[in-house]
């Protein structure tokens, strides 16, 4: 995961657009954040990548036996923001 965030940082630096999308499958989740207590380097990299323009988004998914669909956007809390 860390190497992908670093790759997104490089894309932004070269003038391209970059997105980091979290798809949440658990219905009780109300927000998304990097688990800095588990992987502080990854959490810091996500926050650092967001600063110059990597767009960090999260969406809840609705899952059934016949489909996986996007339900709604969830707030993303970056490292150091709560």
């Amino acid at each position: 995961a860390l190497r992908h965030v670093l790759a997104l940082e490089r894309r932004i630096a070269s003038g391209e657009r970059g997105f980091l999308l979290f798809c949440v499958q658990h219905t009780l989740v109300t927000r998304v954040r990097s688990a800095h207590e588990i992987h502080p380097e990854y959490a810091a990299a996500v926050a650092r990548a967001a600063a110059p323009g990597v767009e960090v988004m999260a969406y809840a998914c609705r899952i059934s036996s016949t489909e996986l669909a996007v339900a709604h956007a969830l707030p993303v809390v970056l490292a150091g923001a709560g």
Side-chain angles (χ1 to χ4, degrees), residues 17-78:
R17 200 167 172 191
F19 297 88
L20 180 58
L21 174 64
F22 294 95
C23 296
V24 179
Q25 298 177 23
H26 195 293
T27 58
L28 296 179
V29 173
T30 59
R31 66 185 180 135
V32 171
R33 69 175 182 85
S34 298
H36 64 275
E37 62 279 356
I38 295 171
H39 198 327
E41 188 178 2
Y42 175 76
V46 170
R48 191 175 58 245
V54 170
E55 299 175 55
V56 183
M57 300 171 281
Y59 284 87
C61 295
R62 193 174 51 251
I63 302 171
S64 74
S65 61
T66 58
E67 75 173 346
L68 171 63
V70 173
H72 58 272
L74 293 170
V76 176
V77 179
L78 298 174

Short mmCIF file of all heavy atoms in Angstrom, two decimals, residues 17-78:
data_model
loop_
_atom_site.label_atom_id
_atom_site.label_comp_id
_atom_site.label_asym_id
_atom_site.label_seq_id
_atom_site.Cartn_x
_atom_site.Cartn_y
_atom_site.Cartn_z
N ARG A 17 -3.13 13.83 -12.36
CA ARG A 17 -4.12 13.76 -11.30
C ARG A 17 -4.02 12.40 -10.64
O ARG A 17 -3.75 11.39 -11.30
CB ARG A 17 -5.50 13.95 -11.92
CG ARG A 17 -6.55 14.36 -10.97
CD ARG A 17 -7.78 14.82 -11.72
NE ARG A 17 -8.85 15.04 -10.78
CZ ARG A 17 -10.10 15.25 -11.11
NH1 ARG A 17 -10.44 15.27 -12.38
NH2 ARG A 17 -11.01 15.44 -10.20
N GLY A 18 -4.23 12.34 -9.32
CA GLY A 18 -4.14 11.07 -8.61
C GLY A 18 -5.26 10.91 -7.61
O GLY A 18 -5.68 11.87 -6.97
N PHE A 19 -5.74 9.69 -7.49
CA PHE A 19 -6.83 9.36 -6.57
C PHE A 19 -6.45 8.17 -5.70
O PHE A 19 -5.84 7.22 -6.18
CB PHE A 19 -8.10 8.96 -7.34
CG PHE A 19 -8.66 10.05 -8.19
CD1 PHE A 19 -8.23 10.22 -9.49
CD2 PHE A 19 -9.63 10.90 -7.70
CE1 PHE A 19 -8.74 11.21 -10.30
CE2 PHE A 19 -10.16 11.90 -8.50
CZ PHE A 19 -9.72 12.05 -9.80
N LEU A 20 -6.86 8.23 -4.45
CA LEU A 20 -6.76 7.08 -3.55
C LEU A 20 -8.18 6.82 -3.08
O LEU A 20 -8.80 7.68 -2.43
CB LEU A 20 -5.83 7.40 -2.37
CG LEU A 20 -5.62 6.30 -1.35
CD1 LEU A 20 -5.04 5.04 -2.00
CD2 LEU A 20 -4.69 6.78 -0.26
N LEU A 21 -8.72 5.67 -3.43
CA LEU A 21 -10.12 5.36 -3.15
C LEU A 21 -10.22 4.18 -2.21
O LEU A 21 -9.66 3.11 -2.48
CB LEU A 21 -10.87 5.04 -4.45
CG LEU A 21 -12.30 4.55 -4.32
CD1 LEU A 21 -13.19 5.63 -3.72
CD2 LEU A 21 -12.82 4.12 -5.68
N PHE A 22 -10.91 4.39 -1.10
CA PHE A 22 -11.19 3.32 -0.15
C PHE A 22 -12.64 2.88 -0.34
O PHE A 22 -13.55 3.70 -0.28
CB PHE A 22 -11.00 3.80 1.29
CG PHE A 22 -9.57 4.16 1.63
CD1 PHE A 22 -9.14 5.47 1.54
CD2 PHE A 22 -8.68 3.18 2.02
CE1 PHE A 22 -7.82 5.80 1.84
CE2 PHE A 22 -7.36 3.50 2.32
CZ PHE A 22 -6.94 4.81 2.23
N CYS A 23 -12.85 1.59 -0.58
CA CYS A 23 -14.20 1.02 -0.69
C CYS A 23 -14.50 0.27 0.59
O CYS A 23 -13.83 -0.72 0.91
CB CYS A 23 -14.29 0.08 -1.88
SG CYS A 23 -14.04 0.92 -3.45
N VAL A 24 -15.48 0.74 1.34
CA VAL A 24 -15.78 0.21 2.66
C VAL A 24 -16.96 -0.75 2.58
O VAL A 24 -18.04 -0.36 2.14
CB VAL A 24 -16.09 1.36 3.65
CG1 VAL A 24 -16.42 0.82 5.02
CG2 VAL A 24 -14.92 2.33 3.71
N GLN A 25 -16.75 -1.98 3.01
CA GLN A 25 -17.79 -2.99 2.91
C GLN A 25 -18.53 -3.24 4.22
O GLN A 25 -19.54 -3.92 4.22
CB GLN A 25 -17.17 -4.30 2.40
CG GLN A 25 -16.57 -4.14 1.03
CD GLN A 25 -15.91 -5.41 0.55
OE1 GLN A 25 -16.22 -6.51 1.01
NE2 GLN A 25 -14.98 -5.28 -0.37
N HIS A 26 -18.05 -2.67 5.30
CA HIS A 26 -18.69 -2.87 6.61
C HIS A 26 -19.73 -1.77 6.82
O HIS A 26 -19.41 -0.58 6.75
CB HIS A 26 -17.65 -2.83 7.72
CG HIS A 26 -18.15 -3.36 9.01
ND1 HIS A 26 -19.12 -2.73 9.75
CD2 HIS A 26 -17.83 -4.48 9.70
CE1 HIS A 26 -19.37 -3.42 10.84
NE2 HIS A 26 -18.60 -4.49 10.83
N THR A 27 -20.97 -2.14 7.09
CA THR A 27 -22.06 -1.17 7.15
C THR A 27 -22.02 -0.25 8.37
O THR A 27 -22.68 0.79 8.36
CB THR A 27 -23.43 -1.89 7.13
OG1 THR A 27 -23.49 -2.80 8.22
CG2 THR A 27 -23.62 -2.64 5.81
N LEU A 28 -21.27 -0.58 9.39
CA LEU A 28 -21.22 0.27 10.58
C LEU A 28 -20.11 1.33 10.54
O LEU A 28 -20.00 2.14 11.44
CB LEU A 28 -21.05 -0.59 11.84
CG LEU A 28 -22.23 -1.54 12.14
CD1 LEU A 28 -21.95 -2.37 13.39
CD2 LEU A 28 -23.53 -0.77 12.28
N VAL A 29 -19.30 1.32 9.50
CA VAL A 29 -18.23 2.31 9.37
C VAL A 29 -18.83 3.66 8.98
O VAL A 29 -19.64 3.75 8.06
CB VAL A 29 -17.19 1.86 8.33
CG1 VAL A 29 -16.16 2.95 8.06
CG2 VAL A 29 -16.50 0.58 8.79
N THR A 30 -18.44 4.71 9.73
CA THR A 30 -18.98 6.05 9.45
C THR A 30 -17.92 7.03 8.95
O THR A 30 -18.26 8.13 8.52
CB THR A 30 -19.62 6.65 10.72
OG1 THR A 30 -18.63 6.71 11.76
CG2 THR A 30 -20.79 5.80 11.17
N ARG A 31 -16.66 6.65 9.01
CA ARG A 31 -15.57 7.47 8.49
C ARG A 31 -14.37 6.57 8.25
O ARG A 31 -14.31 5.44 8.76
CB ARG A 31 -15.20 8.60 9.46
CG ARG A 31 -14.60 8.11 10.76
CD ARG A 31 -14.37 9.26 11.72
NE ARG A 31 -13.81 8.71 12.95
CZ ARG A 31 -12.80 9.23 13.59
NH1 ARG A 31 -12.23 10.33 13.16
NH2 ARG A 31 -12.34 8.68 14.67
N VAL A 32 -13.41 7.07 7.49
CA VAL A 32 -12.22 6.28 7.16
C VAL A 32 -10.99 7.07 7.57
O VAL A 32 -10.93 8.29 7.40
CB VAL A 32 -12.18 5.99 5.64
CG1 VAL A 32 -10.87 5.37 5.23
CG2 VAL A 32 -13.34 5.10 5.25
N ARG A 33 -10.02 6.36 8.13
CA ARG A 33 -8.73 6.97 8.46
C ARG A 33 -7.66 5.91 8.33
O ARG A 33 -7.93 4.72 8.46
CB ARG A 33 -8.72 7.56 9.86
CG ARG A 33 -8.77 6.53 10.97
CD ARG A 33 -8.63 7.17 12.35
NE ARG A 33 -8.64 6.18 13.39
CZ ARG A 33 -7.57 5.49 13.81
NH1 ARG A 33 -6.39 5.71 13.25
NH2 ARG A 33 -7.66 4.61 14.77
N SER A 34 -6.45 6.35 8.08
CA SER A 34 -5.32 5.42 8.07
C SER A 34 -5.02 5.04 9.51
O SER A 34 -5.03 5.90 10.39
CB SER A 34 -4.09 6.09 7.45
OG SER A 34 -4.35 6.44 6.12
N ALA A 35 -4.76 3.79 9.73
CA ALA A 35 -4.49 3.30 11.10
C ALA A 35 -3.04 3.61 11.46
O ALA A 35 -2.16 2.76 11.35
CB ALA A 35 -4.77 1.81 11.19
N HIS A 36 -2.81 4.84 11.90
CA HIS A 36 -1.44 5.26 12.21
C HIS A 36 -0.82 4.44 13.34
O HIS A 36 0.39 4.30 13.40
CB HIS A 36 -1.38 6.76 12.53
CG HIS A 36 -2.15 7.14 13.74
ND1 HIS A 36 -3.51 7.40 13.69
CD2 HIS A 36 -1.78 7.30 15.02
CE1 HIS A 36 -3.93 7.70 14.90
NE2 HIS A 36 -2.91 7.65 15.72
N GLU A 37 -1.65 3.87 14.20
CA GLU A 37 -1.10 3.04 15.28
C GLU A 37 -0.60 1.69 14.77
O GLU A 37 0.20 1.04 15.42
CB GLU A 37 -2.13 2.85 16.40
CG GLU A 37 -3.40 2.14 16.02
CD GLU A 37 -4.44 3.03 15.33
OE1 GLU A 37 -4.26 4.24 15.19
OE2 GLU A 37 -5.46 2.46 14.92
N ILE A 38 -1.04 1.29 13.58
CA ILE A 38 -0.59 0.03 12.97
C ILE A 38 0.53 0.29 11.97
O ILE A 38 1.51 -0.45 11.93
CB ILE A 38 -1.78 -0.68 12.27
CG1 ILE A 38 -2.81 -1.09 13.32
CG2 ILE A 38 -1.29 -1.88 11.47
CD1 ILE A 38 -4.10 -1.61 12.72
N HIS A 39 0.39 1.33 11.15
CA HIS A 39 1.38 1.61 10.10
C HIS A 39 1.56 3.13 9.99
O HIS A 39 1.01 3.77 9.09
CB HIS A 39 0.91 1.02 8.78
CG HIS A 39 1.98 0.87 7.74
ND1 HIS A 39 3.06 1.73 7.61
CD2 HIS A 39 2.14 -0.05 6.76
CE1 HIS A 39 3.81 1.35 6.60
NE2 HIS A 39 3.27 0.27 6.06
N PRO A 40 2.32 3.71 10.91
CA PRO A 40 2.47 5.17 10.92
C PRO A 40 3.08 5.73 9.64
O PRO A 40 2.73 6.84 9.22
CB PRO A 40 3.37 5.44 12.13
CG PRO A 40 3.98 4.14 12.49
CD PRO A 40 3.07 3.07 11.98
N GLU A 41 3.95 4.97 8.99
CA GLU A 41 4.58 5.46 7.76
C GLU A 41 3.54 5.60 6.65
O GLU A 41 3.54 6.58 5.90
CB GLU A 41 5.70 4.51 7.33
CG GLU A 41 6.53 5.01 6.20
CD GLU A 41 7.67 4.07 5.83
OE1 GLU A 41 7.80 2.99 6.43
OE2 GLU A 41 8.43 4.43 4.93
N TYR A 42 2.61 4.65 6.56
CA TYR A 42 1.55 4.71 5.55
C TYR A 42 0.62 5.89 5.84
O TYR A 42 0.28 6.66 4.93
CB TYR A 42 0.76 3.41 5.52
CG TYR A 42 -0.42 3.45 4.58
CD1 TYR A 42 -0.24 3.37 3.21
CD2 TYR A 42 -1.71 3.60 5.07
CE1 TYR A 42 -1.32 3.42 2.34
CE2 TYR A 42 -2.80 3.65 4.22
CZ TYR A 42 -2.60 3.56 2.86
OH TYR A 42 -3.67 3.63 2.01
N ALA A 43 0.20 6.04 7.09
CA ALA A 43 -0.70 7.14 7.46
C ALA A 43 -0.07 8.49 7.13
O ALA A 43 -0.73 9.38 6.58
CB ALA A 43 -1.05 7.06 8.94
N ALA A 44 1.20 8.65 7.43
CA ALA A 44 1.90 9.90 7.13
C ALA A 44 2.01 10.12 5.62
O ALA A 44 1.85 11.23 5.13
CB ALA A 44 3.29 9.89 7.77
N ALA A 45 2.25 9.04 4.87
CA ALA A 45 2.37 9.15 3.42
C ALA A 45 1.05 9.57 2.79
O ALA A 45 1.03 10.38 1.87
CB ALA A 45 2.86 7.82 2.83
N VAL A 46 -0.06 9.04 3.29
CA VAL A 46 -1.38 9.41 2.75
C VAL A 46 -1.63 10.89 3.00
O VAL A 46 -2.04 11.63 2.11
CB VAL A 46 -2.50 8.54 3.35
CG1 VAL A 46 -3.87 9.09 2.98
CG2 VAL A 46 -2.36 7.10 2.89
N ALA A 47 -1.37 11.35 4.21
CA ALA A 47 -1.56 12.78 4.53
C ALA A 47 -0.63 13.65 3.70
O ALA A 47 -1.04 14.70 3.18
CB ALA A 47 -1.32 13.01 6.02
N ARG A 48 0.60 13.22 3.54
CA ARG A 48 1.58 13.98 2.75
C ARG A 48 1.16 14.03 1.28
O ARG A 48 1.28 15.06 0.61
CB ARG A 48 2.95 13.34 2.91
CG ARG A 48 4.10 14.16 2.36
CD ARG A 48 5.45 13.51 2.66
NE ARG A 48 5.56 12.16 2.11
CZ ARG A 48 5.68 11.06 2.85
NH1 ARG A 48 5.74 11.12 4.17
NH2 ARG A 48 5.77 9.88 2.28
N ALA A 49 0.64 12.93 0.75
CA ALA A 49 0.23 12.88 -0.65
C ALA A 49 -1.02 13.74 -0.89
O ALA A 49 -1.17 14.32 -1.96
CB ALA A 49 -0.05 11.43 -1.05
N ALA A 50 -1.88 13.83 0.10
CA ALA A 50 -3.10 14.63 -0.05
C ALA A 50 -2.79 16.12 -0.12
O ALA A 50 -3.49 16.87 -0.81
CB ALA A 50 -4.06 14.33 1.10
N ALA A 51 -1.75 16.55 0.57
CA ALA A 51 -1.43 17.98 0.63
C ALA A 51 -1.22 18.60 -0.76
O ALA A 51 -1.79 19.66 -1.04
CB ALA A 51 -0.22 18.22 1.53
N PRO A 52 -0.44 17.99 -1.66
CA PRO A 52 -0.25 18.62 -2.98
C PRO A 52 -1.33 18.25 -3.99
O PRO A 52 -1.28 18.69 -5.13
CB PRO A 52 1.11 18.11 -3.42
CG PRO A 52 1.22 16.78 -2.79
CD PRO A 52 0.51 16.91 -1.46
N GLY A 53 -2.28 17.39 -3.60
CA GLY A 53 -3.37 17.16 -4.54
C GLY A 53 -3.84 15.75 -4.80
O GLY A 53 -4.76 15.56 -5.59
N VAL A 54 -3.25 14.71 -4.18
CA VAL A 54 -3.83 13.38 -4.34
C VAL A 54 -5.20 13.42 -3.67
O VAL A 54 -5.34 13.83 -2.53
CB VAL A 54 -2.95 12.28 -3.70
CG1 VAL A 54 -3.68 10.95 -3.68
CG2 VAL A 54 -1.65 12.13 -4.47
N GLU A 55 -6.22 13.06 -4.43
CA GLU A 55 -7.59 13.11 -3.92
C GLU A 55 -7.88 11.81 -3.19
O GLU A 55 -7.86 10.73 -3.78
CB GLU A 55 -8.55 13.33 -5.07
CG GLU A 55 -8.27 14.66 -5.78
CD GLU A 55 -9.12 14.87 -7.00
OE1 GLU A 55 -10.37 14.80 -6.88
OE2 GLU A 55 -8.55 15.12 -8.08
N VAL A 56 -8.14 11.92 -1.89
CA VAL A 56 -8.39 10.76 -1.04
C VAL A 56 -9.89 10.70 -0.76
O VAL A 56 -10.46 11.63 -0.22
CB VAL A 56 -7.59 10.84 0.28
CG1 VAL A 56 -7.81 9.58 1.11
CG2 VAL A 56 -6.11 11.06 0.00
N MET A 57 -10.51 9.60 -1.18
CA MET A 57 -11.95 9.45 -1.06
C MET A 57 -12.29 8.09 -0.47
O MET A 57 -11.50 7.15 -0.58
CB MET A 57 -12.60 9.54 -2.44
CG MET A 57 -12.36 10.85 -3.14
SD MET A 57 -12.93 10.79 -4.85
CE MET A 57 -11.55 9.91 -5.59
N ALA A 58 -13.47 8.02 0.14
CA ALA A 58 -13.95 6.75 0.67
C ALA A 58 -15.44 6.65 0.36
O ALA A 58 -16.18 7.63 0.45
CB ALA A 58 -13.72 6.66 2.17
N TYR A 59 -15.86 5.46 -0.01
CA TYR A 59 -17.26 5.20 -0.29
C TYR A 59 -17.70 3.92 0.39
O TYR A 59 -16.98 2.92 0.38
CB TYR A 59 -17.51 5.08 -1.80
CG TYR A 59 -17.50 6.41 -2.50
CD1 TYR A 59 -16.31 6.95 -2.96
CD2 TYR A 59 -18.67 7.13 -2.65
CE1 TYR A 59 -16.28 8.18 -3.59
CE2 TYR A 59 -18.65 8.38 -3.27
CZ TYR A 59 -17.46 8.89 -3.73
OH TYR A 59 -17.44 10.12 -4.33
N ALA A 60 -18.89 3.97 0.97
CA ALA A 60 -19.50 2.77 1.52
C ALA A 60 -20.08 1.98 0.35
O ALA A 60 -20.54 2.57 -0.63
CB ALA A 60 -20.60 3.15 2.50
N CYS A 61 -20.04 0.67 0.47
CA CYS A 61 -20.58 -0.19 -0.57
C CYS A 61 -21.78 -0.96 -0.03
O CYS A 61 -21.85 -1.29 1.14
CB CYS A 61 -19.52 -1.19 -1.05
SG CYS A 61 -18.15 -0.39 -1.86
N ARG A 62 -22.70 -1.22 -0.91
CA ARG A 62 -23.87 -2.04 -0.60
C ARG A 62 -23.62 -3.40 -1.26
O ARG A 62 -23.37 -3.47 -2.46
CB ARG A 62 -25.11 -1.35 -1.17
CG ARG A 62 -26.40 -1.85 -0.70
CD ARG A 62 -27.57 -1.01 -1.22
NE ARG A 62 -27.54 -0.81 -2.67
CZ ARG A 62 -27.26 0.35 -3.27
NH1 ARG A 62 -26.99 1.43 -2.57
NH2 ARG A 62 -27.25 0.45 -4.59
N ILE A 63 -23.70 -4.44 -0.47
CA ILE A 63 -23.37 -5.78 -0.98
C ILE A 63 -24.58 -6.70 -0.81
O ILE A 63 -25.21 -6.72 0.24
CB ILE A 63 -22.18 -6.38 -0.20
CG1 ILE A 63 -20.96 -5.47 -0.33
CG2 ILE A 63 -21.86 -7.78 -0.70
CD1 ILE A 63 -19.81 -5.85 0.56
N SER A 64 -24.87 -7.43 -1.86
CA SER A 64 -25.92 -8.45 -1.80
C SER A 64 -25.40 -9.68 -2.55
O SER A 64 -24.28 -9.68 -3.06
CB SER A 64 -27.21 -7.94 -2.43
OG SER A 64 -27.10 -7.90 -3.84
N SER A 65 -26.23 -10.68 -2.66
CA SER A 65 -25.82 -11.89 -3.37
C SER A 65 -25.74 -11.66 -4.88
O SER A 65 -25.15 -12.47 -5.60
CB SER A 65 -26.78 -13.04 -3.08
OG SER A 65 -28.09 -12.69 -3.50
N THR A 66 -26.28 -10.53 -5.35
CA THR A 66 -26.27 -10.28 -6.79
C THR A 66 -25.49 -9.04 -7.22
O THR A 66 -25.29 -8.82 -8.41
CB THR A 66 -27.71 -10.13 -7.32
OG1 THR A 66 -28.35 -9.05 -6.62
CG2 THR A 66 -28.49 -11.42 -7.13
N GLU A 67 -25.09 -8.20 -6.26
CA GLU A 67 -24.39 -6.99 -6.67
C GLU A 67 -23.48 -6.42 -5.59
O GLU A 67 -23.65 -6.69 -4.41
CB GLU A 67 -25.38 -5.90 -7.12
CG GLU A 67 -26.09 -5.23 -5.97
CD GLU A 67 -26.94 -4.04 -6.40
OE1 GLU A 67 -26.79 -3.54 -7.54
OE2 GLU A 67 -27.76 -3.61 -5.59
N LEU A 68 -22.56 -5.62 -6.05
CA LEU A 68 -21.72 -4.78 -5.20
C LEU A 68 -21.87 -3.38 -5.79
O LEU A 68 -21.50 -3.15 -6.94
CB LEU A 68 -20.25 -5.23 -5.24
CG LEU A 68 -19.23 -4.32 -4.58
CD1 LEU A 68 -19.50 -4.20 -3.09
CD2 LEU A 68 -17.84 -4.84 -4.81
N ALA A 69 -22.45 -2.47 -5.01
CA ALA A 69 -22.74 -1.13 -5.53
C ALA A 69 -22.24 -0.07 -4.56
O ALA A 69 -22.18 -0.29 -3.35
CB ALA A 69 -24.24 -0.98 -5.74
N VAL A 70 -21.91 1.09 -5.10
CA VAL A 70 -21.52 2.22 -4.27
C VAL A 70 -22.78 2.77 -3.61
O VAL A 70 -23.78 3.00 -4.28
CB VAL A 70 -20.83 3.30 -5.12
CG1 VAL A 70 -20.58 4.55 -4.30
CG2 VAL A 70 -19.55 2.76 -5.72
N ALA A 71 -22.71 2.98 -2.29
CA ALA A 71 -23.87 3.47 -1.56
C ALA A 71 -23.78 4.98 -1.32
O ALA A 71 -24.64 5.73 -1.73
CB ALA A 71 -24.02 2.72 -0.23
N HIS A 72 -22.71 5.42 -0.65
CA HIS A 72 -22.55 6.84 -0.34
C HIS A 72 -21.11 7.14 0.07
O HIS A 72 -20.37 6.25 0.47
CB HIS A 72 -23.52 7.27 0.77
CG HIS A 72 -23.34 6.50 2.04
ND1 HIS A 72 -23.99 5.31 2.27
CD2 HIS A 72 -22.59 6.72 3.13
CE1 HIS A 72 -23.64 4.84 3.46
NE2 HIS A 72 -22.78 5.68 3.99
N ALA A 73 -20.77 8.43 -0.03
CA ALA A 73 -19.43 8.87 0.35
C ALA A 73 -19.28 8.85 1.87
O ALA A 73 -20.25 9.05 2.60
CB ALA A 73 -19.18 10.28 -0.17
N LEU A 74 -18.06 8.59 2.32
CA LEU A 74 -17.72 8.64 3.75
C LEU A 74 -16.63 9.67 3.94
O LEU A 74 -15.76 9.84 3.07
CB LEU A 74 -17.21 7.28 4.22
CG LEU A 74 -18.21 6.13 4.22
CD1 LEU A 74 -17.49 4.81 4.47
CD2 LEU A 74 -19.28 6.37 5.29
N PRO A 75 -16.62 10.36 5.09
CA PRO A 75 -15.53 11.30 5.34
C PRO A 75 -14.21 10.56 5.56
O PRO A 75 -14.19 9.45 6.09
CB PRO A 75 -15.96 12.03 6.61
CG PRO A 75 -17.05 11.23 7.21
CD PRO A 75 -17.63 10.35 6.13
N VAL A 76 -13.13 11.20 5.12
CA VAL A 76 -11.78 10.66 5.31
C VAL A 76 -11.05 11.58 6.28
O VAL A 76 -11.01 12.79 6.08
CB VAL A 76 -11.01 10.58 3.98
CG1 VAL A 76 -9.57 10.11 4.21
CG2 VAL A 76 -11.72 9.67 2.99
N VAL A 77 -10.49 11.00 7.32
CA VAL A 77 -9.71 11.75 8.32
C VAL A 77 -8.25 11.44 8.07
O VAL A 77 -7.82 10.28 8.17
CB VAL A 77 -10.13 11.36 9.75
CG1 VAL A 77 -9.30 12.12 10.76
CG2 VAL A 77 -11.62 11.60 9.97
N LEU A 78 -7.48 12.47 7.76
CA LEU A 78 -6.05 12.28 7.49
C LEU A 78 -5.25 12.32 8.77
O LEU A 78 -5.69 12.91 9.77
CB LEU A 78 -5.56 13.35 6.52
CG LEU A 78 -6.24 13.33 5.15
CD1 LEU A 78 -5.80 14.52 4.33
CD2 LEU A 78 -5.95 12.03 4.43
#
